[in-house]
Amino acid sequence: MGMNSKAVEARERKEATKKANQERAAKEAEDRMWEDEGKGRARKQKKREEEERLH
């Protein structure tokens, strides 16, 4: 028996789309993590500079 080639192609496209969405979501989550970390680091640096200026 033959396979329905259109169904196979559609399944492959759906899998590729799903994988791309998962990779994008993972990248966005990592970017948010680094962005948040950068904000904390900037605050710490600003606090250190203020303390040095006062002393």
Side-chain angles (χ1 to χ4, degrees), residues 12-43:
E12 289 173 355
R13 280 194 309 270
K14 287 180 184 178
E15 289 174 6
T17 301
K18 183 178 179 181
K19 184 176 180 181
N21 287 339
Q22 288 174 342
E23 290 174 354
R24 181 182 46 80
K27 184 181 182 313
E28 287 176 356
E30 184 177 350
D31 289 346
R32 282 193 303 272
M33 179 190 71
W34 283 106
E35 184 178 306
D36 290 344
E37 187 175 307
K39 289 179 183 177
R41 199 173 288 164
R43 276 189 245 129

